[in-house]
């Protein structure tokens, strides 16, 4: 698909605006970033890379694509659509920038885009980034947008340029989020509830903690709405393998316990996810 240069995208080295120069993006100080033929750009600074191939591996991303494309999480994607429509109806006309920080394979943003009216779709810009280049490649394959490899710590977007910022099961960096959010912008945090995938966790962990310790939000954000989305899904062996591969569960359990989980076919799992919408406050 085509890489879209969002006007607020900036150079990760000096924050100067980026311009298109043939198949590259370039800033006024001559820093150049190649646009990959798949339709994304790598804007990850050397300081943000902890390994040569950071983030989800190619195999994990393939598992994620297979799992999400089977629409087990479609109710979550629908909730993203509802939140976007609610936000857009509250904000008058003009362009709207939707960003998914840690966008994975782009499933959620793509679902939102597909469910907007033509008018709204035409004035919406999609921006998504992930630290895994394999994930970002998948985004660029799905739909046109501003897709780049990057991290929450240094988001290469101008201050106040994002209207709706999704953080789906990610590792938030609130000072970055606050910086890029527009004054009337909103952060949407999506986190697992206590009973999320509980039946799977019961099989693969010897002892499970029911209450997840959730760090409080900084004073710079306040929750303006909160909803729980709960339903059950039934997974066969292949779906379970994909789910185990795409989540951190895979790495914290033993091979024996993972096999025990796979022996349940099908396994009925509870999805329990919390959506919180947050506004920025005037506290600095
Ligand atoms: Zn530069």
């Amino acid at each position: 698909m085509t890489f879209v240069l969002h006007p607020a995208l900036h150079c990760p080295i000096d924050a100067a605006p980026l311009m298109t120069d043939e198949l590259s993006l370039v800033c006024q100080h001559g820093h150049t970033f190649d646009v990959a033929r798949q339709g994304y750009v790598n804007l990850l600074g050397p300081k943000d890379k902890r390994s040569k191939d950071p983030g989800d591996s190619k195999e994990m991303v393939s598992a994620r694509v297979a799992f999400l494309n089977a629409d087990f999480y479609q109710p979550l994607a629908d909730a993203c659509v509802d939140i976007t429509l609610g936000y857009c109806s509250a904000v008058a006309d003009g362009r709207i920038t939707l960003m998914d920080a840690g966008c994975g394979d782009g499933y959620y943003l793509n679902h939102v885009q597909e469910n907007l009216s033509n008018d709204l779709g035409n004035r919406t810009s999609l921006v998504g980034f992930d630290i895994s280049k394999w994930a970002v490649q998948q985004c660029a394959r799905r739909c046109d947008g501003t897709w780049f490899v990057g991290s929450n710590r240094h988001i290469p977007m101008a201050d106040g340029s994002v209207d709706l910022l999704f953080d789906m099961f990610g590792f938030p960096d609130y000072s970055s989020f606050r910086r890029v959010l527009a004054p009337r912008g909103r952060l949407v945090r999506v986190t697992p509830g206590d009973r999320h995938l509980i039946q799977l966790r019961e099989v693969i962990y010897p002892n499970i903690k029911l209450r997840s310790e959730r760090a409080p939000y900084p004073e710079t954000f306040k929750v303006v709405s909160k909803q729980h989305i709960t339903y059950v899904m039934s997974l066969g062996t292949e779906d379970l393998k994909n789910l185990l591969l795409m989540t951190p569960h895979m790495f914290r359990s033993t091979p024996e316990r993972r096999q025990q989980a796979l022996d349940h076919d099908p396994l009925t799992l509870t999805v329990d996810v919390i959506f919180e919408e947050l506004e920025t406050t005037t506290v600095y």
Side-chain angles (χ1 to χ4, degrees):
M1 298 295 225
T2 317
F3 175 78
V4 179
L5 177 57
H6 190 287
L9 195 67
H10 68 205
C11 174
I13 297 162
D14 52 29
L18 288 170
M19 296 152 286
T20 309
D21 177 26
E22 294 186 8
L23 295 175
S24 302
L25 302 181
V26 61
C27 85
Q28 64 197 28
H29 305 111
H31 301 124
T32 303
F33 308 90
D34 293 338
V35 177
R37 63 186 159 76
Q38 295 97 333
Y40 71 96
V41 63
N42 192 337
L43 297 177
L44 196 62
K47 279 187 232 150
D48 298 321
K49 269 192 214 178
R50 293 209 186 91
S51 72
K52 226 178 146 202
D53 188 14
D56 289 355
S57 66
K58 195 175 185 179
E59 193 190 19
M60 287 167 78
V61 170
S62 303
R64 175 178 298 274
V65 169
F67 183 84
L68 291 177
N69 282 349
D71 286 331
F72 291 113
Y73 280 177
Q74 195 189 320
L76 307 183
D78 288 340
C80 294
V81 174
D82 291 344
I83 285 171
T84 304
L85 293 177
Y87 179 82
C88 291
S89 68
V91 172
D93 43 52
R95 289 209 67 82
I96 288 165
T97 295
L98 301 184
M99 172 186 273
D100 189 348
C103 58
D105 65 335
Y107 173 77
Y108 296 104
L109 269 191
N110 181 50
H111 188 79
V112 170
Q113 172 82 336
E114 281 180 345
N115 286 280
L116 296 178
S117 64
N118 278 346
D119 164 56
L120 203 49
N122 287 338
R123 56 193 179 88
T124 300
S125 303
L126 301 187
V127 179
F129 66 89
D130 200 282
I131 200 159
S132 161
K133 75 168 181 191
W134 306 111
V136 177
Q137 278 182 8
Q138 289 295 334
C139 296
R141 202 170 284 173
R142 272 187 204 276
C143 60
D144 291 344
T146 306
W147 305 116
F148 59 90
V149 183
S151 85
N152 277 346
R153 266 205 304 167
H154 301 112
I155 301 173
M157 291 281 288
D159 296 1
S161 59
V162 176
D163 297 293
L164 206 48
L165 198 169
F166 287 93
D167 170 36
M168 313 273 304
F169 307 107
F171 300 99
D173 184 316
Y174 294 108
S175 60
S176 280
F177 288 173
R178 190 191 158 84
R179 184 185 67 75
V180 299
L181 273 174
R184 294 180 64 197
R186 277 201 181 178
L187 168 64
V188 181
R189 278 219 77 209
V190 180
T191 51
D194 285 343
R195 301 206 43 88
H196 189 53
L197 309 179
I198 184 82
Q199 300 87 344
L200 182 59
R201 283 155 56 208
E202 279 169 353
V203 178
I204 62 179
Y205 297 131
N207 307 298
I208 53 163
K209 260 199 323 197
L210 252 191
R211 284 243 156 258
S212 44
E213 294 296 323
R214 200 180 298 266
Y217 290 114
E219 282 184 322
T220 46
F221 279 98
K222 69 167 191 283
V223 177
V224 291
S225 97
K226 181 172 180 171
Q227 57 171 320
H228 242 103
I229 293 185
T230 309
Y231 58 94
V232 292
M233 59 184 181
S234 179
L235 304 191
T237 308
E238 281 308 305
D239 307 319
L240 257 180
K241 272 188 191 162
N242 288 331
L243 180 63
L244 282 167
L245 248 181
M246 70 182 246
T247 58
H249 293 298
M250 185 71 182
F251 302 103
R252 291 197 222 123
S253 65
T254 63
E256 294 73 28
R257 287 188 174 272
R258 289 199 291 273
Q259 190 53 50
Q260 270 180 35
L262 293 173
D263 289 342
H264 289 70
D265 178 15
L267 183 59
T268 299
L269 291 180
T270 299
V271 176
D272 175 22
V273 173
I274 300 163
F275 278 71
E276 286 170 299
E277 291 181 63
L278 297 100
E279 282 177 357
T280 54
T281 65
T282 46
V283 178
Y284 284 89

mmCIF file of all heavy atoms in Angstrom, residues 71-102:
data_model
loop_
_atom_site.group_PDB
_atom_site.id
_atom_site.type_symbol
_atom_site.label_atom_id
_atom_site.label_comp_id
_atom_site.label_asym_id
_atom_site.label_seq_id
_atom_site.Cartn_x
_atom_site.Cartn_y
_atom_site.Cartn_z
ATOM 1 N N ASP A 71 -11.214 -12.911 13.762
ATOM 2 C CA ASP A 71 -12.188 -12.013 14.402
ATOM 3 C C ASP A 71 -12.631 -12.419 15.809
ATOM 4 O O ASP A 71 -13.719 -12.046 16.245
ATOM 5 C CB ASP A 71 -13.408 -11.793 13.487
ATOM 6 C CG ASP A 71 -13.062 -10.862 12.327
ATOM 7 O OD1 ASP A 71 -12.175 -9.996 12.512
ATOM 8 O OD2 ASP A 71 -13.648 -11.007 11.247
ATOM 9 N N PHE A 72 -11.772 -13.137 16.530
ATOM 10 C CA PHE A 72 -12.092 -13.440 17.930
ATOM 11 C C PHE A 72 -12.166 -12.162 18.763
ATOM 12 O O PHE A 72 -12.845 -12.121 19.780
ATOM 13 C CB PHE A 72 -11.048 -14.382 18.542
ATOM 14 C CG PHE A 72 -11.084 -15.764 17.967
ATOM 15 C CD1 PHE A 72 -10.032 -16.250 17.211
ATOM 16 C CD2 PHE A 72 -12.195 -16.581 18.163
ATOM 17 C CE1 PHE A 72 -10.070 -17.530 16.674
ATOM 18 C CE2 PHE A 72 -12.249 -17.861 17.622
ATOM 19 C CZ PHE A 72 -11.177 -18.328 16.878
ATOM 20 N N TYR A 73 -11.424 -11.157 18.355
ATOM 21 C CA TYR A 73 -11.420 -9.895 19.099
ATOM 22 C C TYR A 73 -12.225 -8.805 18.398
ATOM 23 O O TYR A 73 -12.055 -7.625 18.679
ATOM 24 C CB TYR A 73 -9.972 -9.426 19.328
ATOM 25 C CG TYR A 73 -9.264 -10.117 20.487
ATOM 26 C CD1 TYR A 73 -7.932 -9.835 20.776
ATOM 27 C CD2 TYR A 73 -9.933 -11.031 21.305
ATOM 28 C CE1 TYR A 73 -7.282 -10.454 21.835
ATOM 29 C CE2 TYR A 73 -9.288 -11.660 22.360
ATOM 30 C CZ TYR A 73 -7.965 -11.367 22.624
ATOM 31 O OH TYR A 73 -7.308 -11.977 23.678
ATOM 32 N N GLN A 74 -13.123 -9.222 17.495
ATOM 33 C CA GLN A 74 -13.892 -8.193 16.782
ATOM 34 C C GLN A 74 -14.708 -7.296 17.717
ATOM 35 O O GLN A 74 -14.793 -6.086 17.487
ATOM 36 C CB GLN A 74 -14.796 -8.800 15.712
ATOM 37 C CG GLN A 74 -15.264 -7.689 14.764
ATOM 38 C CD GLN A 74 -16.318 -8.121 13.803
ATOM 39 O OE1 GLN A 74 -16.262 -9.217 13.267
ATOM 40 N NE2 GLN A 74 -17.286 -7.236 13.577
ATOM 41 N N PRO A 75 -15.293 -7.838 18.815
ATOM 42 C CA PRO A 75 -16.013 -6.923 19.723
ATOM 43 C C PRO A 75 -15.108 -5.814 20.281
ATOM 44 O O PRO A 75 -15.579 -4.709 20.557
ATOM 45 C CB PRO A 75 -16.507 -7.858 20.834
ATOM 46 C CG PRO A 75 -16.652 -9.188 20.150
ATOM 47 C CD PRO A 75 -15.491 -9.257 19.192
ATOM 48 N N LEU A 76 -13.819 -6.114 20.425
ATOM 49 C CA LEU A 76 -12.892 -5.078 20.909
ATOM 50 C C LEU A 76 -12.668 -4.038 19.811
ATOM 51 O O LEU A 76 -12.619 -2.830 20.069
ATOM 52 C CB LEU A 76 -11.552 -5.699 21.332
ATOM 53 C CG LEU A 76 -11.630 -6.864 22.329
ATOM 54 C CD1 LEU A 76 -10.219 -7.317 22.717
ATOM 55 C CD2 LEU A 76 -12.416 -6.462 23.574
ATOM 56 N N ALA A 77 -12.539 -4.533 18.576
ATOM 57 C CA ALA A 77 -12.362 -3.611 17.444
ATOM 58 C C ALA A 77 -13.618 -2.761 17.251
ATOM 59 O O ALA A 77 -13.533 -1.571 16.932
ATOM 60 C CB ALA A 77 -12.034 -4.402 16.182
ATOM 61 N N ASP A 78 -14.802 -3.378 17.476
ATOM 62 C CA ASP A 78 -16.056 -2.617 17.377
ATOM 63 C C ASP A 78 -16.110 -1.513 18.441
ATOM 64 O O ASP A 78 -16.616 -0.426 18.180
ATOM 65 C CB ASP A 78 -17.271 -3.549 17.560
ATOM 66 C CG ASP A 78 -17.482 -4.461 16.355
ATOM 67 O OD1 ASP A 78 -16.968 -4.149 15.257
ATOM 68 O OD2 ASP A 78 -18.168 -5.494 16.516
ATOM 69 N N ALA A 79 -15.586 -1.826 19.625
ATOM 70 C CA ALA A 79 -15.555 -0.806 20.682
ATOM 71 C C ALA A 79 -14.673 0.367 20.258
ATOM 72 O O ALA A 79 -14.983 1.531 20.542
ATOM 73 C CB ALA A 79 -15.057 -1.414 21.993
ATOM 74 N N CYS A 80 -13.579 0.066 19.544
ATOM 75 C CA CYS A 80 -12.710 1.146 19.036
ATOM 76 C C CYS A 80 -13.488 2.013 18.040
ATOM 77 O O CYS A 80 -13.334 3.241 18.016
ATOM 78 C CB CYS A 80 -11.471 0.576 18.340
ATOM 79 S SG CYS A 80 -10.361 -0.299 19.448
ATOM 80 N N VAL A 81 -14.319 1.374 17.217
ATOM 81 C CA VAL A 81 -15.136 2.123 16.251
ATOM 82 C C VAL A 81 -16.102 3.044 17.008
ATOM 83 O O VAL A 81 -16.200 4.239 16.717
ATOM 84 C CB VAL A 81 -15.940 1.171 15.330
ATOM 85 C CG1 VAL A 81 -16.884 1.963 14.430
ATOM 86 C CG2 VAL A 81 -15.003 0.305 14.493
ATOM 87 N N ASP A 82 -16.806 2.491 18.007
ATOM 88 C CA ASP A 82 -17.775 3.288 18.774
ATOM 89 C C ASP A 82 -17.113 4.486 19.451
ATOM 90 O O ASP A 82 -17.657 5.590 19.446
ATOM 91 C CB ASP A 82 -18.445 2.424 19.862
ATOM 92 C CG ASP A 82 -19.369 1.377 19.246
ATOM 93 O OD1 ASP A 82 -19.719 1.517 18.052
ATOM 94 O OD2 ASP A 82 -19.726 0.413 19.955
ATOM 95 N N ILE A 83 -15.952 4.248 20.017
ATOM 96 C CA ILE A 83 -15.244 5.345 20.702
ATOM 97 C C ILE A 83 -14.858 6.422 19.684
ATOM 98 O O ILE A 83 -15.001 7.617 19.927
ATOM 99 C CB ILE A 83 -14.015 4.790 21.456
ATOM 100 C CG1 ILE A 83 -14.497 4.059 22.708
ATOM 101 C CG2 ILE A 83 -13.037 5.902 21.807
ATOM 102 C CD1 ILE A 83 -13.422 3.269 23.428
ATOM 103 N N THR A 84 -14.393 5.973 18.506
ATOM 104 C CA THR A 84 -13.999 6.934 17.473
ATOM 105 C C THR A 84 -15.211 7.747 17.015
ATOM 106 O O THR A 84 -15.137 8.977 16.892
ATOM 107 C CB THR A 84 -13.370 6.201 16.270
ATOM 108 O OG1 THR A 84 -12.274 5.427 16.744
ATOM 109 C CG2 THR A 84 -12.871 7.183 15.215
ATOM 110 N N LEU A 85 -16.332 7.067 16.780
ATOM 111 C CA LEU A 85 -17.533 7.779 16.324
ATOM 112 C C LEU A 85 -18.007 8.764 17.392
ATOM 113 O O LEU A 85 -18.383 9.893 17.086
ATOM 114 C CB LEU A 85 -18.653 6.787 15.977
ATOM 115 C CG LEU A 85 -18.382 5.896 14.760
ATOM 116 C CD1 LEU A 85 -19.525 4.901 14.562
ATOM 117 C CD2 LEU A 85 -18.176 6.724 13.491
ATOM 118 N N GLY A 86 -17.968 8.326 18.653
ATOM 119 C CA GLY A 86 -18.367 9.200 19.754
ATOM 120 C C GLY A 86 -17.479 10.432 19.816
ATOM 121 O O GLY A 86 -17.959 11.555 19.953
ATOM 122 N N TYR A 87 -16.197 10.215 19.659
ATOM 123 C CA TYR A 87 -15.250 11.335 19.715
ATOM 124 C C TYR A 87 -15.494 12.285 18.547
ATOM 125 O O TYR A 87 -15.551 13.504 18.720
ATOM 126 C CB TYR A 87 -13.810 10.807 19.685
ATOM 127 C CG TYR A 87 -12.801 11.919 19.705
ATOM 128 C CD1 TYR A 87 -12.442 12.516 20.906
ATOM 129 C CD2 TYR A 87 -12.232 12.391 18.529
ATOM 130 C CE1 TYR A 87 -11.539 13.572 20.933
ATOM 131 C CE2 TYR A 87 -11.336 13.444 18.540
ATOM 132 C CZ TYR A 87 -10.993 14.030 19.746
ATOM 133 O OH TYR A 87 -10.111 15.070 19.772
ATOM 134 N N CYS A 88 -15.643 11.708 17.352
ATOM 135 C CA CYS A 88 -15.794 12.541 16.158
ATOM 136 C C CYS A 88 -17.086 13.343 16.192
ATOM 137 O O CYS A 88 -17.138 14.466 15.705
ATOM 138 C CB CYS A 88 -15.749 11.693 14.894
ATOM 139 S SG CYS A 88 -14.109 11.017 14.599
ATOM 140 N N SER A 89 -18.144 12.770 16.770
ATOM 141 C CA SER A 89 -19.391 13.524 16.793
ATOM 142 C C SER A 89 -19.309 14.669 17.807
ATOM 143 O O SER A 89 -20.007 15.661 17.691
ATOM 144 C CB SER A 89 -20.581 12.607 17.089
ATOM 145 O OG SER A 89 -20.495 12.135 18.403
ATOM 146 N N ALA A 90 -18.404 14.537 18.785
ATOM 147 C CA ALA A 90 -18.236 15.616 19.766
ATOM 148 C C ALA A 90 -17.331 16.725 19.230
ATOM 149 O O ALA A 90 -17.417 17.865 19.650
ATOM 150 C CB ALA A 90 -17.651 15.058 21.062
ATOM 151 N N VAL A 91 -16.461 16.366 18.299
ATOM 152 C CA VAL A 91 -15.519 17.343 17.742
ATOM 153 C C VAL A 91 -16.106 17.805 16.410
ATOM 154 O O VAL A 91 -16.568 16.979 15.638
ATOM 155 C CB VAL A 91 -14.145 16.665 17.529
ATOM 156 C CG1 VAL A 91 -13.188 17.573 16.774
ATOM 157 C CG2 VAL A 91 -13.556 16.264 18.859
ATOM 158 N N ALA A 92 -16.119 19.106 16.161
ATOM 159 C CA ALA A 92 -16.705 19.627 14.909
ATOM 160 C C ALA A 92 -15.895 19.158 13.703
ATOM 161 O O ALA A 92 -15.047 18.288 13.817
ATOM 162 C CB ALA A 92 -16.775 21.135 14.981
ATOM 163 N N ASP A 93 -16.168 19.730 12.536
ATOM 164 C CA ASP A 93 -15.487 19.264 11.320
ATOM 165 C C ASP A 93 -13.988 19.549 11.376
ATOM 166 O O ASP A 93 -13.475 20.124 12.318
ATOM 167 C CB ASP A 93 -16.121 19.902 10.084
ATOM 168 C CG ASP A 93 -16.389 21.372 10.313
ATOM 169 O OD1 ASP A 93 -15.458 22.084 10.713
ATOM 170 O OD2 ASP A 93 -17.535 21.792 10.137
ATOM 171 N N GLY A 94 -13.303 19.124 10.365
ATOM 172 C CA GLY A 94 -11.857 19.284 10.341
ATOM 173 C C GLY A 94 -11.209 17.914 10.313
ATOM 174 O O GLY A 94 -11.881 16.894 10.455
ATOM 175 N N ARG A 95 -9.907 17.914 10.136
ATOM 176 C CA ARG A 95 -9.202 16.641 10.040
ATOM 177 C C ARG A 95 -9.013 16.014 11.422
ATOM 178 O O ARG A 95 -8.859 16.717 12.415
ATOM 179 C CB ARG A 95 -7.834 16.833 9.372
ATOM 180 C CG ARG A 95 -7.931 17.132 7.890
ATOM 181 C CD ARG A 95 -6.699 16.632 7.155
ATOM 182 N NE ARG A 95 -6.608 15.172 7.147
ATOM 183 C CZ ARG A 95 -7.258 14.394 6.283
ATOM 184 N NH1 ARG A 95 -8.034 14.900 5.360
ATOM 185 N NH2 ARG A 95 -7.112 13.079 6.329
ATOM 186 N N ILE A 96 -9.027 14.694 11.442
ATOM 187 C CA ILE A 96 -8.870 13.974 12.700
ATOM 188 C C ILE A 96 -7.729 12.967 12.539
ATOM 189 O O ILE A 96 -7.686 12.237 11.546
ATOM 190 C CB ILE A 96 -10.185 13.255 13.079
ATOM 191 C CG1 ILE A 96 -11.207 14.309 13.516
ATOM 192 C CG2 ILE A 96 -9.964 12.252 14.205
ATOM 193 C CD1 ILE A 96 -12.596 13.815 13.567
ATOM 194 N N THR A 97 -6.821 12.975 13.467
ATOM 195 C CA THR A 97 -5.717 12.023 13.426
ATOM 196 C C THR A 97 -5.927 10.952 14.491
ATOM 197 O O THR A 97 -6.035 11.256 15.681
ATOM 198 C CB THR A 97 -4.363 12.741 13.645
ATOM 199 O OG1 THR A 97 -4.149 13.629 12.534
ATOM 200 C CG2 THR A 97 -3.212 11.759 13.727
ATOM 201 N N LEU A 98 -6.005 9.712 14.033
ATOM 202 C CA LEU A 98 -6.113 8.564 14.935
ATOM 203 C C LEU A 98 -4.760 7.886 14.984
ATOM 204 O O LEU A 98 -4.191 7.580 13.939
ATOM 205 C CB LEU A 98 -7.091 7.516 14.394
ATOM 206 C CG LEU A 98 -8.539 7.881 14.127
ATOM 207 C CD1 LEU A 98 -9.300 6.638 13.693
ATOM 208 C CD2 LEU A 98 -9.159 8.483 15.373
ATOM 209 N N MET A 99 -4.267 7.658 16.183
ATOM 210 C CA MET A 99 -2.968 6.987 16.292
ATOM 211 C C MET A 99 -3.108 5.742 17.145
ATOM 212 O O MET A 99 -3.778 5.750 18.178
ATOM 213 C CB MET A 99 -1.943 7.927 16.928
ATOM 214 C CG MET A 99 -0.621 7.227 17.239
ATOM 215 S SD MET A 99 0.531 8.290 18.134
ATOM 216 C CE MET A 99 1.313 9.076 16.739
ATOM 217 N N ASP A 100 -2.470 4.675 16.701
ATOM 218 C CA ASP A 100 -2.378 3.469 17.522
ATOM 219 C C ASP A 100 -0.910 3.300 17.898
ATOM 220 O O ASP A 100 -0.057 3.066 17.043
ATOM 221 C CB ASP A 100 -2.909 2.253 16.744
ATOM 222 C CG ASP A 100 -3.037 1.012 17.639
ATOM 223 O OD1 ASP A 100 -2.513 1.027 18.768
ATOM 224 O OD2 ASP A 100 -3.643 0.026 17.181
ATOM 225 N N ALA A 101 -0.629 3.469 19.205
ATOM 226 C CA ALA A 101 0.741 3.364 19.707
ATOM 227 C C ALA A 101 1.006 1.901 20.060
ATOM 228 O O ALA A 101 0.385 1.368 20.963
ATOM 229 C CB ALA A 101 0.909 4.245 20.942
ATOM 230 N N GLY A 102 1.891 1.257 19.313
ATOM 231 C CA GLY A 102 2.095 -0.182 19.487
ATOM 232 C C GLY A 102 0.987 -0.900 18.735
ATOM 233 O O GLY A 102 0.232 -1.693 19.292
#
